[in-house]
PDB file of all heavy atoms in Angstrom:
ATOM      1  N   ASN A  11       0.839  -1.204   0.000  1.00 91.00           N
ATOM      2  CA  ASN A  11       0.000   0.000   0.000  1.00 91.00           C
ATOM      3  C   ASN A  11       0.871   1.250   0.000  1.00 91.00           C
ATOM      4  O   ASN A  11       2.057   1.202   0.345  1.00 91.00           O
ATOM      5  CB  ASN A  11      -0.922   0.011   1.218  1.00 91.00           C
ATOM      6  CG  ASN A  11      -1.989  -1.051   1.135  1.00 91.00           C
ATOM      7  OD1 ASN A  11      -2.424  -1.443   0.069  1.00 91.00           O
ATOM      8  ND2 ASN A  11      -2.407  -1.540   2.284  1.00 91.00           N
ATOM      9  N   ASN A  12       0.267   2.371  -0.352  1.00 93.00           N
ATOM     10  CA  ASN A  12       0.976   3.651  -0.341  1.00 93.00           C
ATOM     11  C   ASN A  12       0.909   4.294   1.037  1.00 93.00           C
ATOM     12  O   ASN A  12      -0.039   4.084   1.787  1.00 93.00           O
ATOM     13  CB  ASN A  12       0.371   4.606  -1.368  1.00 93.00           C
ATOM     14  CG  ASN A  12       0.627   4.157  -2.783  1.00 93.00           C
ATOM     15  OD1 ASN A  12       1.520   3.352  -3.044  1.00 93.00           O
ATOM     16  ND2 ASN A  12      -0.145   4.665  -3.711  1.00 93.00           N
ATOM     17  N   ASN A  13       1.926   5.116   1.332  1.00 86.00           N
ATOM     18  CA  ASN A  13       1.920   5.893   2.569  1.00 86.00           C
ATOM     19  C   ASN A  13       1.109   7.169   2.350  1.00 86.00           C
ATOM     20  O   ASN A  13       0.524   7.376   1.284  1.00 86.00           O
ATOM     21  CB  ASN A  13       3.344   6.183   3.043  1.00 86.00           C
ATOM     22  CG  ASN A  13       4.147   6.983   2.033  1.00 86.00           C
ATOM     23  OD1 ASN A  13       3.606   7.671   1.172  1.00 86.00           O
ATOM     24  ND2 ASN A  13       5.456   6.901   2.132  1.00 86.00           N
ATOM     25  N   ILE A  14       1.094   8.037   3.341  1.00 85.00           N
ATOM     26  CA  ILE A  14       0.286   9.259   3.278  1.00 85.00           C
ATOM     27  C   ILE A  14       0.763  10.200   2.170  1.00 85.00           C
ATOM     28  O   ILE A  14      -0.007  11.006   1.643  1.00 85.00           O
ATOM     29  CB  ILE A  14       0.258   9.959   4.659  1.00 85.00           C
ATOM     30  CG1 ILE A  14      -0.871  10.963   4.721  1.00 85.00           C
ATOM     31  CG2 ILE A  14       1.596  10.585   4.979  1.00 85.00           C
ATOM     32  CD1 ILE A  14      -1.195  11.450   6.104  1.00 85.00           C
ATOM     33  N   GLN A  15       2.032  10.075   1.763  1.00 93.00           N
ATOM     34  CA  GLN A  15       2.560  10.896   0.676  1.00 93.00           C
ATOM     35  C   GLN A  15       2.257  10.293  -0.701  1.00 93.00           C
ATOM     36  O   GLN A  15       2.648  10.837  -1.721  1.00 93.00           O
ATOM     37  CB  GLN A  15       4.085  11.072   0.812  1.00 93.00           C
ATOM     38  CG  GLN A  15       4.515  11.943   1.974  1.00 93.00           C
ATOM     39  CD  GLN A  15       4.550  11.184   3.292  1.00 93.00           C
ATOM     40  OE1 GLN A  15       4.610   9.962   3.330  1.00 93.00           O
ATOM     41  NE2 GLN A  15       4.500  11.919   4.388  1.00 93.00           N
ATOM     42  N   GLY A  16       1.596   9.127  -0.721  1.00 94.00           N
ATOM     43  CA  GLY A  16       1.245   8.483  -1.978  1.00 94.00           C
ATOM     44  C   GLY A  16       2.340   7.611  -2.571  1.00 94.00           C
ATOM     45  O   GLY A  16       2.252   7.179  -3.713  1.00 94.00           O
ATOM     46  N   GLU A  17       3.375   7.324  -1.779  1.00 95.00           N
ATOM     47  CA  GLU A  17       4.489   6.493  -2.237  1.00 95.00           C
ATOM     48  C   GLU A  17       4.350   5.084  -1.667  1.00 95.00           C
ATOM     49  O   GLU A  17       3.872   4.905  -0.542  1.00 95.00           O
ATOM     50  CB  GLU A  17       5.814   7.099  -1.777  1.00 95.00           C
ATOM     51  CG  GLU A  17       6.029   8.514  -2.282  1.00 95.00           C
ATOM     52  CD  GLU A  17       7.145   9.230  -1.540  1.00 95.00           C
ATOM     53  OE1 GLU A  17       7.597   8.731  -0.484  1.00 95.00           O
ATOM     54  OE2 GLU A  17       7.547  10.303  -2.005  1.00 95.00           O
ATOM     55  N   PRO A  18       4.766   4.054  -2.419  1.00 95.00           N
ATOM     56  CA  PRO A  18       4.713   2.680  -1.902  1.00 95.00           C
ATOM     57  C   PRO A  18       5.496   2.548  -0.596  1.00 95.00           C
ATOM     58  O   PRO A  18       6.601   3.056  -0.466  1.00 95.00           O
ATOM     59  CB  PRO A  18       5.367   1.847  -3.009  1.00 95.00           C
ATOM     60  CG  PRO A  18       5.215   2.670  -4.238  1.00 95.00           C
ATOM     61  CD  PRO A  18       5.289   4.105  -3.780  1.00 95.00           C
ATOM     62  N   ASP A  19       4.884   1.895   0.391  1.00 88.00           N
ATOM     63  CA  ASP A  19       5.506   1.700   1.710  1.00 88.00           C
ATOM     64  C   ASP A  19       5.561   0.207   2.002  1.00 88.00           C
ATOM     65  O   ASP A  19       4.534  -0.407   2.291  1.00 88.00           O
ATOM     66  CB  ASP A  19       4.695   2.421   2.779  1.00 88.00           C
ATOM     67  CG  ASP A  19       5.316   2.333   4.163  1.00 88.00           C
ATOM     68  OD1 ASP A  19       6.239   1.514   4.371  1.00 88.00           O
ATOM     69  OD2 ASP A  19       4.864   3.082   5.051  1.00 88.00           O
ATOM     70  N   PRO A  20       6.756  -0.399   1.945  1.00 86.00           N
ATOM     71  CA  PRO A  20       6.873  -1.845   2.154  1.00 86.00           C
ATOM     72  C   PRO A  20       6.452  -2.306   3.550  1.00 86.00           C
ATOM     73  O   PRO A  20       6.271  -3.494   3.780  1.00 86.00           O
ATOM     74  CB  PRO A  20       8.353  -2.133   1.901  1.00 86.00           C
ATOM     75  CG  PRO A  20       9.042  -0.831   2.052  1.00 86.00           C
ATOM     76  CD  PRO A  20       8.043   0.232   1.689  1.00 86.00           C
ATOM     77  N   ASN A  21       6.263  -1.369   4.484  1.00 81.00           N
ATOM     78  CA  ASN A  21       5.789  -1.731   5.826  1.00 81.00           C
ATOM     79  C   ASN A  21       4.268  -1.733   5.925  1.00 81.00           C
ATOM     80  O   ASN A  21       3.711  -2.108   6.948  1.00 81.00           O
ATOM     81  CB  ASN A  21       6.367  -0.788   6.880  1.00 81.00           C
ATOM     82  CG  ASN A  21       7.852  -0.960   7.040  1.00 81.00           C
ATOM     83  OD1 ASN A  21       8.351  -2.090   7.058  1.00 81.00           O
ATOM     84  ND2 ASN A  21       8.574   0.126   7.121  1.00 81.00           N
ATOM     85  N   GLU A  22       3.588  -1.285   4.869  1.00 84.00           N
ATOM     86  CA  GLU A  22       2.123  -1.258   4.840  1.00 84.00           C
ATOM     87  C   GLU A  22       1.641  -2.235   3.769  1.00 84.00           C
ATOM     88  O   GLU A  22       1.510  -1.877   2.603  1.00 84.00           O
ATOM     89  CB  GLU A  22       1.603   0.151   4.562  1.00 84.00           C
ATOM     90  CG  GLU A  22       1.797   1.116   5.708  1.00 84.00           C
ATOM     91  CD  GLU A  22       0.941   0.781   6.919  1.00 84.00           C
ATOM     92  OE1 GLU A  22      -0.143   0.178   6.761  1.00 84.00           O
ATOM     93  OE2 GLU A  22       1.353   1.117   8.028  1.00 84.00           O
ATOM     94  N   ILE A  23       1.395  -3.467   4.170  1.00 88.00           N
ATOM     95  CA  ILE A  23       1.009  -4.519   3.232  1.00 88.00           C
ATOM     96  C   ILE A  23      -0.480  -4.783   3.353  1.00 88.00           C
ATOM     97  O   ILE A  23      -0.997  -4.979   4.448  1.00 88.00           O
ATOM     98  CB  ILE A  23       1.816  -5.805   3.505  1.00 88.00           C
ATOM     99  CG1 ILE A  23       3.302  -5.512   3.314  1.00 88.00           C
ATOM    100  CG2 ILE A  23       1.358  -6.935   2.593  1.00 88.00           C
ATOM    101  CD1 ILE A  23       4.213  -6.631   3.716  1.00 88.00           C
ATOM    102  N   GLY A  24      -1.172  -4.763   2.230  1.00 90.00           N
ATOM    103  CA  GLY A  24      -2.596  -5.060   2.191  1.00 90.00           C
ATOM    104  C   GLY A  24      -2.816  -6.447   1.621  1.00 90.00           C
ATOM    105  O   GLY A  24      -1.879  -7.118   1.191  1.00 90.00           O
ATOM    106  N   GLY A  25      -4.048  -6.878   1.607  1.00 92.00           N
ATOM    107  CA  GLY A  25      -4.381  -8.187   1.057  1.00 92.00           C
ATOM    108  C   GLY A  25      -5.867  -8.321   0.819  1.00 92.00           C
ATOM    109  O   GLY A  25      -6.654  -7.448   1.195  1.00 92.00           O
ATOM    110  N   SER A  26      -6.236  -9.432   0.188  1.00 92.00           N
ATOM    111  CA  SER A  26      -7.641  -9.653  -0.146  1.00 92.00           C
ATOM    112  C   SER A  26      -8.405 -10.357   0.967  1.00 92.00           C
ATOM    113  O   SER A  26      -9.600 -10.139   1.136  1.00 92.00           O
ATOM    114  CB  SER A  26      -7.759 -10.454  -1.434  1.00 92.00           C
ATOM    115  OG  SER A  26      -7.084 -11.691  -1.313  1.00 92.00           O
ATOM    116  N   LYS A  27      -7.727 -11.227   1.735  1.00 94.00           N
ATOM    117  CA  LYS A  27      -8.410 -11.908   2.842  1.00 94.00           C
ATOM    118  C   LYS A  27      -7.383 -12.481   3.817  1.00 94.00           C
ATOM    119  O   LYS A  27      -6.213 -12.614   3.500  1.00 94.00           O
ATOM    120  CB  LYS A  27      -9.318 -13.016   2.329  1.00 94.00           C
ATOM    121  CG  LYS A  27      -8.590 -14.208   1.759  1.00 94.00           C
ATOM    122  CD  LYS A  27      -9.585 -15.289   1.357  1.00 94.00           C
ATOM    123  CE  LYS A  27      -8.850 -16.519   0.847  1.00 94.00           C
ATOM    124  NZ  LYS A  27      -9.764 -17.613   0.550  1.00 94.00           N
ATOM    125  N   ILE A  28      -7.875 -12.810   4.998  1.00 96.00           N
ATOM    126  CA  ILE A  28      -7.075 -13.462   6.037  1.00 96.00           C
ATOM    127  C   ILE A  28      -7.725 -14.795   6.355  1.00 96.00           C
ATOM    128  O   ILE A  28      -8.939 -14.866   6.574  1.00 96.00           O
ATOM    129  CB  ILE A  28      -6.988 -12.604   7.317  1.00 96.00           C
ATOM    130  CG1 ILE A  28      -6.199 -11.318   7.038  1.00 96.00           C
ATOM    131  CG2 ILE A  28      -6.354 -13.393   8.455  1.00 96.00           C
ATOM    132  CD1 ILE A  28      -6.139 -10.365   8.219  1.00 96.00           C
ATOM    133  N   LYS A  29      -6.921 -15.847   6.380  1.00 96.00           N
ATOM    134  CA  LYS A  29      -7.421 -17.177   6.734  1.00 96.00           C
ATOM    135  C   LYS A  29      -6.893 -17.546   8.124  1.00 96.00           C
ATOM    136  O   LYS A  29      -5.738 -17.285   8.442  1.00 96.00           O
ATOM    137  CB  LYS A  29      -6.954 -18.212   5.713  1.00 96.00           C
ATOM    138  CG  LYS A  29      -7.495 -19.594   5.980  1.00 96.00           C
ATOM    139  CD  LYS A  29      -7.083 -20.580   4.917  1.00 96.00           C
ATOM    140  CE  LYS A  29      -7.656 -21.950   5.259  1.00 96.00           C
ATOM    141  NZ  LYS A  29      -7.215 -22.964   4.313  1.00 96.00           N
ATOM    142  N   ASP A  30      -7.751 -18.131   8.938  1.00 96.00           N
ATOM    143  CA  ASP A  30      -7.416 -18.599  10.288  1.00 96.00           C
ATOM    144  C   ASP A  30      -7.056 -17.477  11.251  1.00 96.00           C
ATOM    145  O   ASP A  30      -6.316 -17.685  12.198  1.00 96.00           O
ATOM    146  CB  ASP A  30      -6.279 -19.635  10.248  1.00 96.00           C
ATOM    147  CG  ASP A  30      -6.668 -20.876   9.461  1.00 96.00           C
ATOM    148  OD1 ASP A  30      -7.853 -21.255   9.493  1.00 96.00           O
ATOM    149  OD2 ASP A  30      -5.786 -21.459   8.799  1.00 96.00           O
ATOM    150  N   GLY A  31      -7.597 -16.277  11.021  1.00 96.00           N
ATOM    151  CA  GLY A  31      -7.378 -15.178  11.957  1.00 96.00           C
ATOM    152  C   GLY A  31      -8.414 -15.204  13.073  1.00 96.00           C
ATOM    153  O   GLY A  31      -9.424 -15.899  12.995  1.00 96.00           O
ATOM    154  N   LYS A  32      -8.165 -14.439  14.110  1.00 97.00           N
ATOM    155  CA  LYS A  32      -9.081 -14.327  15.244  1.00 97.00           C
ATOM    156  C   LYS A  32      -9.991 -13.120  15.022  1.00 97.00           C
ATOM    157  O   LYS A  32      -9.522 -12.029  14.716  1.00 97.00           O
ATOM    158  CB  LYS A  32      -8.287 -14.148  16.535  1.00 97.00           C
ATOM    159  CG  LYS A  32      -9.143 -13.994  17.764  1.00 97.00           C
ATOM    160  CD  LYS A  32      -8.298 -13.819  19.004  1.00 97.00           C
ATOM    161  CE  LYS A  32      -9.190 -13.611  20.217  1.00 97.00           C
ATOM    162  NZ  LYS A  32      -8.400 -13.359  21.423  1.00 97.00           N
ATOM    163  N   ARG A  33     -11.295 -13.324  15.175  1.00 97.00           N
ATOM    164  CA  ARG A  33     -12.262 -12.233  15.035  1.00 97.00           C
ATOM    165  C   ARG A  33     -12.425 -11.516  16.372  1.00 97.00           C
ATOM    166  O   ARG A  33     -12.628 -12.161  17.403  1.00 97.00           O
ATOM    167  CB  ARG A  33     -13.593 -12.759  14.542  1.00 97.00           C
ATOM    168  CG  ARG A  33     -13.524 -13.242  13.103  1.00 97.00           C
ATOM    169  CD  ARG A  33     -14.828 -13.846  12.668  1.00 97.00           C
ATOM    170  NE  ARG A  33     -15.935 -12.966  13.016  1.00 97.00           N
ATOM    171  CZ  ARG A  33     -16.883 -12.570  12.178  1.00 97.00           C
ATOM    172  NH1 ARG A  33     -16.872 -12.988  10.951  1.00 97.00           N
ATOM    173  NH2 ARG A  33     -17.850 -11.778  12.574  1.00 97.00           N
ATOM    174  N   ILE A  34     -12.360 -10.199  16.316  1.00 98.00           N
ATOM    175  CA  ILE A  34     -12.492  -9.372  17.511  1.00 98.00           C
ATOM    176  C   ILE A  34     -13.530  -8.297  17.236  1.00 98.00           C
ATOM    177  O   ILE A  34     -13.387  -7.506  16.300  1.00 98.00           O
ATOM    178  CB  ILE A  34     -11.144  -8.723  17.884  1.00 98.00           C
ATOM    179  CG1 ILE A  34     -10.098  -9.800  18.157  1.00 98.00           C
ATOM    180  CG2 ILE A  34     -11.309  -7.790  19.083  1.00 98.00           C
ATOM    181  CD1 ILE A  34      -8.684  -9.299  18.198  1.00 98.00           C
ATOM    182  N   ALA A  35     -14.591  -8.273  18.042  1.00 97.00           N
ATOM    183  CA  ALA A  35     -15.642  -7.264  17.903  1.00 97.00           C
ATOM    184  C   ALA A  35     -15.304  -6.070  18.785  1.00 97.00           C
ATOM    185  O   ALA A  35     -14.949  -6.232  19.952  1.00 97.00           O
ATOM    186  CB  ALA A  35     -16.992  -7.848  18.292  1.00 97.00           C
ATOM    187  N   MET A  36     -15.398  -4.887  18.213  1.00 98.00           N
ATOM    188  CA  MET A  36     -15.160  -3.662  18.976  1.00 98.00           C
ATOM    189  C   MET A  36     -16.417  -2.807  18.979  1.00 98.00           C
ATOM    190  O   MET A  36     -17.157  -2.765  17.994  1.00 98.00           O
ATOM    191  CB  MET A  36     -14.018  -2.850  18.350  1.00 98.00           C
ATOM    192  CG  MET A  36     -12.657  -3.489  18.466  1.00 98.00           C
ATOM    193  SD  MET A  36     -11.373  -2.419  17.743  1.00 98.00           S
ATOM    194  CE  MET A  36     -11.317  -1.082  18.956  1.00 98.00           C
ATOM    195  N   LYS A  37     -16.620  -2.114  20.089  1.00 97.00           N
ATOM    196  CA  LYS A  37     -17.711  -1.154  20.214  1.00 97.00           C
ATOM    197  C   LYS A  37     -17.137   0.125  20.815  1.00 97.00           C
ATOM    198  O   LYS A  37     -15.964   0.157  21.204  1.00 97.00           O
ATOM    199  CB  LYS A  37     -18.827  -1.727  21.085  1.00 97.00           C
ATOM    200  CG  LYS A  37     -18.402  -2.012  22.502  1.00 97.00           C
ATOM    201  CD  LYS A  37     -19.508  -2.688  23.274  1.00 97.00           C
ATOM    202  CE  LYS A  37     -19.139  -2.957  24.712  1.00 97.00           C
ATOM    203  NZ  LYS A  37     -17.819  -3.449  25.004  1.00 97.00           N
ATOM    204  N   ALA A  38     -17.935   1.151  20.885  1.00 98.00           N
ATOM    205  CA  ALA A  38     -17.477   2.439  21.405  1.00 98.00           C
ATOM    206  C   ALA A  38     -16.783   2.270  22.755  1.00 98.00           C
ATOM    207  O   ALA A  38     -17.294   1.585  23.642  1.00 98.00           O
ATOM    208  CB  ALA A  38     -18.650   3.401  21.528  1.00 98.00           C
ATOM    209  N   GLY A  39     -15.595   2.847  22.871  1.00 98.00           N
ATOM    210  CA  GLY A  39     -14.814   2.792  24.106  1.00 98.00           C
ATOM    211  C   GLY A  39     -13.744   1.716  24.118  1.00 98.00           C
ATOM    212  O   GLY A  39     -12.850   1.748  24.952  1.00 98.00           O
ATOM    213  N   ASP A  40     -13.819   0.751  23.200  1.00 98.00           N
ATOM    214  CA  ASP A  40     -12.841  -0.347  23.162  1.00 98.00           C
ATOM    215  C   ASP A  40     -11.531   0.084  22.501  1.00 98.00           C
ATOM    216  O   ASP A  40     -11.528   0.919  21.595  1.00 98.00           O
ATOM    217  CB  ASP A  40     -13.394  -1.549  22.392  1.00 98.00           C
ATOM    218  CG  ASP A  40     -14.505  -2.266  23.128  1.00 98.00           C
ATOM    219  OD1 ASP A  40     -14.700  -2.015  24.335  1.00 98.00           O
ATOM    220  OD2 ASP A  40     -15.186  -3.087  22.482  1.00 98.00           O
ATOM    221  N   TRP A  41     -10.437  -0.533  22.971  1.00 98.00           N
ATOM    222  CA  TRP A  41      -9.101  -0.348  22.403  1.00 98.00           C
ATOM    223  C   TRP A  41      -8.615  -1.692  21.868  1.00 98.00           C
ATOM    224  O   TRP A  41      -8.948  -2.733  22.420  1.00 98.00           O
ATOM    225  CB  TRP A  41      -8.121   0.122  23.463  1.00 98.00           C
ATOM    226  CG  TRP A  41      -8.327   1.521  23.943  1.00 98.00           C
ATOM    227  CD1 TRP A  41      -9.156   1.929  24.958  1.00 98.00           C
ATOM    228  CD2 TRP A  41      -7.711   2.696  23.441  1.00 98.00           C
ATOM    229  NE1 TRP A  41      -9.088   3.286  25.108  1.00 98.00           N
ATOM    230  CE2 TRP A  41      -8.187   3.786  24.188  1.00 98.00           C
ATOM    231  CE3 TRP A  41      -6.780   2.939  22.427  1.00 98.00           C
ATOM    232  CZ2 TRP A  41      -7.782   5.091  23.956  1.00 98.00           C
ATOM    233  CZ3 TRP A  41      -6.371   4.246  22.205  1.00 98.00           C
ATOM    234  CH2 TRP A  41      -6.877   5.303  22.962  1.00 98.00           C
TER     235      TRP A  41
END
């Protein structure tokens, strides 16, 4: 993905899906 300046950032990796991840529900006030 690109950084805020619009340049590719190798530390910001995107993807289409995650397999075997843990689902976490957040609501107002949660960190």
Side-chain angles (χ1 to χ4, degrees):
N11 291 331
N12 291 341
N13 60 22
I14 197 166
Q15 290 82 20
E17 301 165 347
D19 183 347
N21 292 318
E22 289 292 332
I23 299 173
S26 58
K27 70 176 183 176
I28 294 176
K29 183 177 180 184
D30 298 326
K32 179 180 178 183
R33 291 176 48 129
I34 300 166
M36 292 182 71
K37 63 185 182 318
D40 290 347
W41 290 87

